[in-house]
Amino acid sequence: MNKIGIAESISVEFKSDKQCISDNGIIDAIVAFANTDGGELYIGVEDNGEITGLHKKHENASKLAAFIANKTVPPVPVRVEKITLGGTYIRITVPKSFSVVASSNGKIQRRRLKTDGTPENIPMYPYEISSRLSSLGLLDYSAQAVPDADYSDLDPLERERLRSIIKNYRGEYELLDLDDLDLDKALNLVIKQEGKYVPTFCGLLLIGKTEAIKKHMPTSESSIQIMSGSDIKVNQNFYGSIISSFEKINEYFMAWNKSEEMEVGLFRYTIPDYDPRAFREALVNAFCHRDYSILGRVLIQINNDGMTISNPGGFIEGITADNLLDAIPQGRNPLLATALKRIGLAERTGRGIDRIYEGSLLYGRLLPDYSRSSAKNVILFIPKGPTDKEFIKMISSEQEKTGNTLPIYSLLILNHLKGVPKSQIKEIATSLKLSESSVRVTIESLVAAGIVEAVGQSRGRYYMLSSKYYRKANDTIRYVRHKDIDPIRYEELVLELARTKGDIRRADVMELLHINGAQAYRILKKLEDSGKILQKGKGAGVKYYLT
């Protein structure tokens, strides 16, 4: 017999039809696919991929599609194809559902891989339903009333701490004029049920009593671990309100966040190991976007390599590590996110991710890394140092000149060109995962500002940092070399080097063009004879200048 040529996986399942697969067997598989990531169900195929054919009951593809729609809630719009290549079988393509799907008899299932790597369908439990709806942006867990909780579960001392946060972080000052109940209602910390106010999960998370949080939200734990080499310096767990945990974690962070000073002109800059604003946004994001329906904790780990901030619950639907900067801001817990913005802890515009990237880019460091994130956790790694002081000077100078902060795309492009000079627009767009049109508009504005240079025309056009950066880095030779080394242009490049650097030696020409001393001498002599450069000094101290 023929085989189908693929194997079962999380998105592929085979069902034998020799004994006529039951209706429930088909519907259970469809529901499980829809509640996971979609997939393909093959009827008439054995577990080993052997095609054994269809039972006569399932030969009508149109009838089977209608049956599936009638037996799933909400109806799943499958595509059913009857295939006769190598044998007769049915392929049912199941789309991923953007709601929770059940069979008409009430069964809700999902797919998973067993320890041996083969797939199976298992029941979806109530907490998993909440988690899935939350990840799809269909349920705001933080807006729900806390079952069996009472208004007295909110802590007056934590409410005063919240008022202090509003003052210290420049939140909405109008909130400070409200009495306690009106403040709670304004921030949706409570909801009215049966004539009395009860806490929402948002309210309990922000100003709940510790014992109430432990009782009603055992999933709200957070921790900080700080390592120096193999020595554990800090290892603390927190179970209280978010704002209480935030302040304690921030105290540890600030105590261990070392810094150095740097002068740029008349100004003195402090360069920290980690930008405090970026840390604050990353920590708020972890608290705000974590999945509170599953066990786990917000964890901050700091070691010699960098800082890792992780939280339970993967990215919500439509968000990936690759499109973070472009995606429309949306959260797993919108009510909690709004409250954190209003009290001043979170970025008001919803673009906290920009702040996280800026925290590394403004100091010329490696970019934040979300690549270790999975469907179960979001993991952010912020590398520690080294700083590029010349890059900092270039950015600072431009921002002082314009009076504006450079946009995030500009910083990303400049950072890319620092590492990969002579890049074309397509290369930059691919590297940064941005559209070519966005890159083109941004980079041409950087050219107009004089901090990026364009070389060549049309399809051969490429971009590099301007001579300002290389001059400040005392690396004008690399700048000239990047502009193109061609034997025909040797004399032109030497003149460019002299123009950029001010004075040159024979060793500079040798390094620039990768030639020996005799060749460098001949080029310099020719330029001197033609009156383009002037020699000063003798012997080992001889230098050449433009005339």
Side-chain angles (χ1 to χ4, degrees):
M1 295 291 292
N2 291 316
K3 288 199 171 186
I4 198 165
I6 56 175
E8 286 190 309
S9 66
I10 196 72
S11 59
V12 174
E13 183 168 351
F14 302 145
K15 293 288 187 184
S16 173
D17 205 25
K18 289 192 293 186
Q19 304 299 321
C20 188
I21 180 176
S22 69
D23 292 347
N24 287 340
I26 295 174
I27 297 303
D28 287 349
I30 298 298
V31 166
F33 273 129
N35 284 331
T36 312
D37 289 314
E40 294 180 332
L41 172 64
Y42 292 82
I43 299 176
V45 181
E46 305 300 311
D47 288 346
N48 64 2
E50 183 180 329
I51 302 170
T52 52
L54 293 171
H55 188 277
K56 61 181 181 180
K57 179 180 177 180
H58 299 134
E59 290 182 347
N60 188 323
S62 299
K63 185 177 178 180
L64 186 57
F67 165 75
I68 291 170
N70 288 331
K71 292 292 183 179
T72 52
V73 182
V76 178
V78 299
R79 178 183 290 111
V80 181
E81 302 168 271
K82 185 176 180 180
I83 300 172
T84 56
L85 184 64
T88 303
Y89 58 94
I90 288 282
R91 178 173 63 195
I92 305 174
T93 303
V94 186
K96 176 179 180 177
S97 175
F98 290 91
S99 63
V100 174
V101 174
S103 62
S104 59
N105 62 10
K107 285 181 72 174
I108 303 176
Q109 294 191 303
R110 66 178 178 87
R111 284 179 71 76
R112 73 171 183 184
L113 292 177
K114 295 186 287 187
T115 54
D116 63 0
T118 58
E120 65 176 345
N121 300 330
I122 61 170
M124 181 178 280
Y125 297 105
Y127 76 90
E128 294 178 310
I129 295 174
S130 296
S131 179
R132 178 168 177 79
L133 289 173
S134 177
S135 69
L136 293 170
L138 300 175
L139 172 69
D140 185 350
Y141 186 85
S142 65
Q144 309 302 306
V146 181
D148 302 321
D150 187 80
Y151 190 67
S152 62
D153 287 325
L154 301 182
D155 191 338
L157 294 178
E158 290 301 316
R159 190 181 288 107
E160 288 307 307
R161 192 197 301 270
L162 183 142
R163 290 182 182 276
S164 296
I165 290 284
I166 294 172
K167 292 177 186 176
N168 296 335
Y169 288 91
R170 299 181 181 179
E172 294 181 12
Y173 287 108
E174 297 82 0
L175 295 171
L176 298 174
D177 297 329
L178 303 176
D179 63 29
D180 289 348
L181 180 57
D182 285 339
L183 175 64
D184 295 346
K185 290 193 293 184
L187 292 174
N188 293 298
L189 308 184
V190 294
I191 190 171
K192 199 168 188 177
Q193 287 189 336
E194 299 179 357
K196 64 178 184 178
Y197 288 100
V198 297
T200 60
F201 283 107
C202 174
L204 202 62
L205 284 167
L206 287 182
I207 60 171
K209 294 178 179 177
T210 300
E211 59 270 22
I213 293 173
K214 287 183 177 179
K215 177 182 177 181
H216 298 292
M217 295 195 71
T219 60
S220 62
E221 181 184 1
S222 57
S223 303
I224 183 169
Q225 298 173 353
I226 299 177
M227 304 280 292
S228 179
S230 58
D231 296 330
I232 300 175
K233 299 298 183 181
V234 176
N235 188 18
Q236 292 290 325
N237 297 331
F238 308 99
Y239 298 93
S241 70
I242 285 179
I243 55 177
S244 171
S245 299
F246 179 92
E247 287 192 338
K248 292 173 183 176
I249 290 171
N250 196 54
E251 286 175 6
Y252 281 111
F253 166 76
M254 294 303 291
W256 286 88
N257 189 28
K258 299 177 182 178
S259 61
E260 60 177 313
E261 298 290 324
M262 184 188 78
E263 291 186 1
V264 180
L266 300 175
F267 298 93
R268 180 180 293 272
Y269 288 87
T270 298
I271 305 175
D273 284 348
Y274 306 99
D275 180 61
R277 284 201 319 167
F279 171 74
R280 189 179 83 186
E281 291 297 337
L283 183 57
V284 166
N285 275 358
F287 278 122
C288 193
H289 299 305
R290 71 151 291 174
D291 189 340
Y292 287 98
S293 67
I294 60 178
L295 288 172
R297 56 181 173 166
V298 170
L299 176 60
I300 299 90
Q301 296 173 301
I302 301 175
N303 57 32
N304 295 345
D305 297 324
M307 175 167 57
T308 300
I309 301 177
S310 60
N311 63 266
F315 294 117
I316 68 171
E317 187 66 29
I319 306 294
T320 69
D322 291 338
N323 70 1
L324 279 169
L325 289 167
D326 279 335
I328 297 173
Q330 51 185 317
R332 188 184 297 276
N333 302 289
L335 192 72
L336 177 59
T338 299
L340 290 172
K341 291 174 189 174
R342 295 185 68 188
I343 67 176
L345 275 185
E347 168 63 36
R348 299 286 186 89
T349 63
R351 299 301 325 182
I353 189 67
D354 290 10
R355 296 283 179 265
I356 295 171
Y357 272 77
E358 283 176 3
S360 296
L361 289 166
L362 288 173
Y363 300 111
R365 293 191 173 116
L366 295 174
L367 292 179
D369 181 10
Y370 284 89
S371 63
R372 290 171 51 208
S373 299
S374 67
K376 295 184 178 180
N377 294 279
V378 171
I379 302 173
L380 163 63
F381 176 66
I382 301 177
K384 176 183 176 181
T387 57
D388 185 334
K389 294 184 178 180
E390 284 66 40
F391 190 79
I392 296 173
K393 291 175 184 177
M394 180 181 71
I395 298 300
S396 300
S397 176
E398 181 61 23
Q399 293 185 157
E400 287 170 17
K401 184 173 70 176
T402 63
N404 297 312
T405 301
L406 281 173
I408 188 67
Y409 284 177
S410 296
L411 292 172
L412 284 167
I413 290 172
L414 292 172
N415 185 70
H416 171 86
L417 293 176
K418 179 167 70 78
V420 188
K422 296 182 63 175
S423 290
Q424 294 186 313
I425 284 177
K426 185 174 183 179
E427 295 170 325
I428 299 171
T430 301
S431 173
L432 300 180
K433 298 179 177 63
L434 300 174
S435 68
E436 290 188 28
S437 58
S438 295
V439 171
R440 181 174 288 103
V441 170
T442 302
I443 203 165
E444 291 299 341
S445 70
L446 293 172
V447 171
I451 51 179
V452 167
E453 293 183 11
V455 182
Q457 299 294 326
S458 190
R459 293 185 179 181
R461 189 176 178 87
Y462 63 83
Y463 300 85
M464 58 186 290
L465 295 179
S466 73
S467 59
K468 297 176 186 177
Y469 170 74
Y470 293 97
R471 191 181 300 118
K472 288 178 180 177
N474 196 28
D475 198 3
T476 50
I477 289 176
R478 190 156 63 103
Y479 162 75
V480 175
R481 183 186 300 131
H482 285 324
K483 290 198 74 171
D484 201 9
I485 293 183
D486 185 328
I488 298 175
R489 299 184 61 236
Y490 276 1
E491 294 180 15
E492 178 187 340
L493 292 171
V494 171
L495 291 173
E496 175 71 16
L497 179 61
R499 188 177 301 111
T500 305
K501 195 169 183 289
D503 62 75
I504 57 174
R505 301 171 182 266
R506 183 165 60 171
D508 294 331
V509 177
M510 293 167 60
E511 182 182 351
L512 170 67
L513 304 177
H514 296 296
I515 56 178
N516 60 37
Q519 291 172 311
Y521 172 77
R522 286 195 292 270
I523 293 171
L524 289 167
K525 186 70 169 69
K526 185 176 180 181
L527 289 171
E528 184 182 10
D529 290 344
S530 63
K532 294 178 180 177
I533 60 174
L534 177 66
Q535 175 183 326
K536 291 186 180 181
K538 294 193 176 189
V542 66
K543 295 182 180 180
Y544 298 86
Y545 300 83
L546 290 176
T547 56

PDB file of all heavy atoms in Angstrom, residues 347-366:
ATOM      1  N   GLU A 347       4.323  53.601  30.503  1.00  0.00           N
ATOM      2  CA  GLU A 347       4.377  54.582  29.420  1.00  0.00           C
ATOM      3  C   GLU A 347       2.963  54.899  28.940  1.00  0.00           C
ATOM      4  O   GLU A 347       2.188  54.004  28.571  1.00  0.00           O
ATOM      5  CB  GLU A 347       5.211  54.012  28.268  1.00  0.00           C
ATOM      6  CG  GLU A 347       5.135  54.769  26.964  1.00  0.00           C
ATOM      7  CD  GLU A 347       5.682  56.178  27.093  1.00  0.00           C
ATOM      8  OE1 GLU A 347       6.661  56.377  27.830  1.00  0.00           O
ATOM      9  OE2 GLU A 347       5.131  57.080  26.448  1.00  0.00           O
ATOM     10  N   ARG A 348       2.590  56.187  28.948  1.00  0.00           N
ATOM     11  CA  ARG A 348       1.219  56.597  28.625  1.00  0.00           C
ATOM     12  C   ARG A 348       0.807  56.224  27.206  1.00  0.00           C
ATOM     13  O   ARG A 348      -0.350  55.940  26.938  1.00  0.00           O
ATOM     14  CB  ARG A 348       1.073  58.110  28.793  1.00  0.00           C
ATOM     15  CG  ARG A 348       1.329  58.632  30.188  1.00  0.00           C
ATOM     16  CD  ARG A 348       0.178  58.298  31.127  1.00  0.00           C
ATOM     17  NE  ARG A 348       0.369  58.916  32.425  1.00  0.00           N
ATOM     18  CZ  ARG A 348      -0.052  60.127  32.725  1.00  0.00           C
ATOM     19  NH1 ARG A 348      -0.673  60.861  31.819  1.00  0.00           N
ATOM     20  NH2 ARG A 348       0.135  60.623  33.925  1.00  0.00           N
ATOM     21  N   THR A 349       1.751  56.280  26.272  1.00  0.00           N
ATOM     22  CA  THR A 349       1.408  56.050  24.866  1.00  0.00           C
ATOM     23  C   THR A 349       1.209  54.577  24.543  1.00  0.00           C
ATOM     24  O   THR A 349       0.775  54.231  23.452  1.00  0.00           O
ATOM     25  CB  THR A 349       2.524  56.585  23.945  1.00  0.00           C
ATOM     26  OG1 THR A 349       3.726  55.845  24.195  1.00  0.00           O
ATOM     27  CG2 THR A 349       2.767  58.051  24.198  1.00  0.00           C
ATOM     28  N   GLY A 350       1.557  53.702  25.492  1.00  0.00           N
ATOM     29  CA  GLY A 350       1.487  52.274  25.204  1.00  0.00           C
ATOM     30  C   GLY A 350       2.698  51.767  24.458  1.00  0.00           C
ATOM     31  O   GLY A 350       2.747  50.610  24.056  1.00  0.00           O
ATOM     32  N   ARG A 351       3.726  52.641  24.243  1.00  0.00           N
ATOM     33  CA  ARG A 351       4.918  52.244  23.506  1.00  0.00           C
ATOM     34  C   ARG A 351       6.086  52.016  24.459  1.00  0.00           C
ATOM     35  O   ARG A 351       7.205  52.445  24.216  1.00  0.00           O
ATOM     36  CB  ARG A 351       5.299  53.319  22.481  1.00  0.00           C
ATOM     37  CG  ARG A 351       4.278  53.612  21.409  1.00  0.00           C
ATOM     38  CD  ARG A 351       3.879  52.453  20.544  1.00  0.00           C
ATOM     39  NE  ARG A 351       4.912  51.499  20.232  1.00  0.00           N
ATOM     40  CZ  ARG A 351       4.736  50.449  19.446  1.00  0.00           C
ATOM     41  NH1 ARG A 351       3.573  50.221  18.900  1.00  0.00           N
ATOM     42  NH2 ARG A 351       5.713  49.623  19.204  1.00  0.00           N
ATOM     43  N   GLY A 352       5.813  51.321  25.561  1.00  0.00           N
ATOM     44  CA  GLY A 352       6.882  51.014  26.504  1.00  0.00           C
ATOM     45  C   GLY A 352       8.002  50.212  25.876  1.00  0.00           C
ATOM     46  O   GLY A 352       9.161  50.322  26.282  1.00  0.00           O
ATOM     47  N   ILE A 353       7.670  49.430  24.852  1.00  0.00           N
ATOM     48  CA  ILE A 353       8.696  48.621  24.177  1.00  0.00           C
ATOM     49  C   ILE A 353       9.748  49.516  23.536  1.00  0.00           C
ATOM     50  O   ILE A 353      10.938  49.176  23.491  1.00  0.00           O
ATOM     51  CB  ILE A 353       8.042  47.691  23.118  1.00  0.00           C
ATOM     52  CG1 ILE A 353       9.067  46.694  22.564  1.00  0.00           C
ATOM     53  CG2 ILE A 353       7.402  48.491  22.000  1.00  0.00           C
ATOM     54  CD1 ILE A 353       9.544  45.700  23.577  1.00  0.00           C
ATOM     55  N   ASP A 354       9.341  50.708  23.057  1.00  0.00           N
ATOM     56  CA  ASP A 354      10.312  51.659  22.505  1.00  0.00           C
ATOM     57  C   ASP A 354      11.314  52.090  23.573  1.00  0.00           C
ATOM     58  O   ASP A 354      12.514  52.217  23.311  1.00  0.00           O
ATOM     59  CB  ASP A 354       9.591  52.901  21.967  1.00  0.00           C
ATOM     60  CG  ASP A 354       8.783  52.605  20.709  1.00  0.00           C
ATOM     61  OD1 ASP A 354       8.625  51.416  20.370  1.00  0.00           O
ATOM     62  OD2 ASP A 354       8.307  53.560  20.074  1.00  0.00           O
ATOM     63  N   ARG A 355      10.820  52.339  24.784  1.00  0.00           N
ATOM     64  CA  ARG A 355      11.698  52.735  25.874  1.00  0.00           C
ATOM     65  C   ARG A 355      12.707  51.642  26.197  1.00  0.00           C
ATOM     66  O   ARG A 355      13.869  51.918  26.514  1.00  0.00           O
ATOM     67  CB  ARG A 355      10.863  53.054  27.122  1.00  0.00           C
ATOM     68  CG  ARG A 355       9.932  54.230  26.967  1.00  0.00           C
ATOM     69  CD  ARG A 355      10.679  55.546  27.058  1.00  0.00           C
ATOM     70  NE  ARG A 355       9.754  56.673  26.875  1.00  0.00           N
ATOM     71  CZ  ARG A 355       9.544  57.270  25.731  1.00  0.00           C
ATOM     72  NH1 ARG A 355      10.177  56.858  24.653  1.00  0.00           N
ATOM     73  NH2 ARG A 355       8.704  58.285  25.639  1.00  0.00           N
ATOM     74  N   ILE A 356      12.260  50.405  26.126  1.00  0.00           N
ATOM     75  CA  ILE A 356      13.159  49.281  26.434  1.00  0.00           C
ATOM     76  C   ILE A 356      14.298  49.229  25.417  1.00  0.00           C
ATOM     77  O   ILE A 356      15.466  49.056  25.778  1.00  0.00           O
ATOM     78  CB  ILE A 356      12.369  47.957  26.450  1.00  0.00           C
ATOM     79  CG1 ILE A 356      11.344  47.973  27.598  1.00  0.00           C
ATOM     80  CG2 ILE A 356      13.308  46.763  26.590  1.00  0.00           C
ATOM     81  CD1 ILE A 356      10.371  46.817  27.580  1.00  0.00           C
ATOM     82  N   TYR A 357      13.971  49.396  24.149  1.00  0.00           N
ATOM     83  CA  TYR A 357      15.007  49.395  23.113  1.00  0.00           C
ATOM     84  C   TYR A 357      15.897  50.627  23.218  1.00  0.00           C
ATOM     85  O   TYR A 357      17.112  50.537  23.062  1.00  0.00           O
ATOM     86  CB  TYR A 357      14.357  49.320  21.725  1.00  0.00           C
ATOM     87  CG  TYR A 357      14.109  47.904  21.265  1.00  0.00           C
ATOM     88  CD1 TYR A 357      13.041  47.167  21.764  1.00  0.00           C
ATOM     89  CD2 TYR A 357      14.942  47.284  20.352  1.00  0.00           C
ATOM     90  CE1 TYR A 357      12.807  45.858  21.362  1.00  0.00           C
ATOM     91  CE2 TYR A 357      14.723  45.983  19.929  1.00  0.00           C
ATOM     92  CZ  TYR A 357      13.654  45.281  20.449  1.00  0.00           C
ATOM     93  OH  TYR A 357      13.442  43.985  20.048  1.00  0.00           O
ATOM     94  N   GLU A 358      15.295  51.783  23.468  1.00  0.00           N
ATOM     95  CA  GLU A 358      16.088  53.008  23.595  1.00  0.00           C
ATOM     96  C   GLU A 358      17.116  52.899  24.709  1.00  0.00           C
ATOM     97  O   GLU A 358      18.220  53.426  24.606  1.00  0.00           O
ATOM     98  CB  GLU A 358      15.165  54.203  23.880  1.00  0.00           C
ATOM     99  CG  GLU A 358      14.428  54.722  22.668  1.00  0.00           C
ATOM    100  CD  GLU A 358      13.469  55.844  23.022  1.00  0.00           C
ATOM    101  OE1 GLU A 358      13.442  56.227  24.219  1.00  0.00           O
ATOM    102  OE2 GLU A 358      12.750  56.320  22.134  1.00  0.00           O
ATOM    103  N   GLY A 359      16.741  52.180  25.788  1.00  0.00           N
ATOM    104  CA  GLY A 359      17.652  52.033  26.920  1.00  0.00           C
ATOM    105  C   GLY A 359      18.965  51.399  26.550  1.00  0.00           C
ATOM    106  O   GLY A 359      19.994  51.648  27.193  1.00  0.00           O
ATOM    107  N   SER A 360      18.976  50.574  25.512  1.00  0.00           N
ATOM    108  CA  SER A 360      20.226  49.976  25.018  1.00  0.00           C
ATOM    109  C   SER A 360      20.817  50.787  23.878  1.00  0.00           C
ATOM    110  O   SER A 360      22.024  51.028  23.827  1.00  0.00           O
ATOM    111  CB  SER A 360      19.964  48.538  24.546  1.00  0.00           C
ATOM    112  OG  SER A 360      19.552  47.708  25.608  1.00  0.00           O
ATOM    113  N   LEU A 361      19.971  51.258  22.972  1.00  0.00           N
ATOM    114  CA  LEU A 361      20.456  51.953  21.775  1.00  0.00           C
ATOM    115  C   LEU A 361      21.150  53.271  22.101  1.00  0.00           C
ATOM    116  O   LEU A 361      22.160  53.618  21.481  1.00  0.00           O
ATOM    117  CB  LEU A 361      19.283  52.216  20.828  1.00  0.00           C
ATOM    118  CG  LEU A 361      18.707  50.983  20.118  1.00  0.00           C
ATOM    119  CD1 LEU A 361      17.369  51.312  19.486  1.00  0.00           C
ATOM    120  CD2 LEU A 361      19.684  50.471  19.070  1.00  0.00           C
ATOM    121  N   LEU A 362      20.632  54.009  23.068  1.00  0.00           N
ATOM    122  CA  LEU A 362      21.215  55.313  23.387  1.00  0.00           C
ATOM    123  C   LEU A 362      22.630  55.202  23.943  1.00  0.00           C
ATOM    124  O   LEU A 362      23.381  56.178  23.938  1.00  0.00           O
ATOM    125  CB  LEU A 362      20.326  56.055  24.399  1.00  0.00           C
ATOM    126  CG  LEU A 362      18.996  56.576  23.841  1.00  0.00           C
ATOM    127  CD1 LEU A 362      18.139  57.135  24.959  1.00  0.00           C
ATOM    128  CD2 LEU A 362      19.229  57.631  22.764  1.00  0.00           C
ATOM    129  N   TYR A 363      22.994  54.007  24.424  1.00  0.00           N
ATOM    130  CA  TYR A 363      24.340  53.804  24.953  1.00  0.00           C
ATOM    131  C   TYR A 363      25.199  52.936  24.030  1.00  0.00           C
ATOM    132  O   TYR A 363      26.275  52.489  24.413  1.00  0.00           O
ATOM    133  CB  TYR A 363      24.263  53.170  26.347  1.00  0.00           C
ATOM    134  CG  TYR A 363      23.509  54.034  27.324  1.00  0.00           C
ATOM    135  CD1 TYR A 363      22.270  53.654  27.819  1.00  0.00           C
ATOM    136  CD2 TYR A 363      24.028  55.260  27.742  1.00  0.00           C
ATOM    137  CE1 TYR A 363      21.570  54.456  28.702  1.00  0.00           C
ATOM    138  CE2 TYR A 363      23.333  56.073  28.629  1.00  0.00           C
ATOM    139  CZ  TYR A 363      22.103  55.662  29.102  1.00  0.00           C
ATOM    140  OH  TYR A 363      21.411  56.469  29.968  1.00  0.00           O
ATOM    141  N   GLY A 364      24.703  52.700  22.811  1.00  0.00           N
ATOM    142  CA  GLY A 364      25.484  51.955  21.829  1.00  0.00           C
ATOM    143  C   GLY A 364      25.689  50.500  22.191  1.00  0.00           C
ATOM    144  O   GLY A 364      26.669  49.880  21.772  1.00  0.00           O
ATOM    145  N   ARG A 365      24.760  49.938  22.959  1.00  0.00           N
ATOM    146  CA  ARG A 365      24.903  48.547  23.403  1.00  0.00           C
ATOM    147  C   ARG A 365      24.151  47.600  22.475  1.00  0.00           C
ATOM    148  O   ARG A 365      23.413  48.015  21.587  1.00  0.00           O
ATOM    149  CB  ARG A 365      24.382  48.389  24.830  1.00  0.00           C
ATOM    150  CG  ARG A 365      25.227  49.118  25.879  1.00  0.00           C
ATOM    151  CD  ARG A 365      24.807  48.683  27.270  1.00  0.00           C
ATOM    152  NE  ARG A 365      25.696  49.230  28.276  1.00  0.00           N
ATOM    153  CZ  ARG A 365      25.336  50.090  29.217  1.00  0.00           C
ATOM    154  NH1 ARG A 365      24.089  50.525  29.260  1.00  0.00           N
ATOM    155  NH2 ARG A 365      26.204  50.524  30.110  1.00  0.00           N
ATOM    156  N   LEU A 366      24.321  46.290  22.732  1.00  0.00           N
ATOM    157  CA  LEU A 366      23.592  45.281  21.983  1.00  0.00           C
ATOM    158  C   LEU A 366      22.101  45.409  22.262  1.00  0.00           C
ATOM    159  O   LEU A 366      21.690  45.839  23.340  1.00  0.00           O
ATOM    160  CB  LEU A 366      24.076  43.883  22.370  1.00  0.00           C
ATOM    161  CG  LEU A 366      25.530  43.552  22.023  1.00  0.00           C
ATOM    162  CD1 LEU A 366      25.910  42.187  22.589  1.00  0.00           C
ATOM    163  CD2 LEU A 366      25.744  43.575  20.514  1.00  0.00           C
TER     164      LEU A 366
END
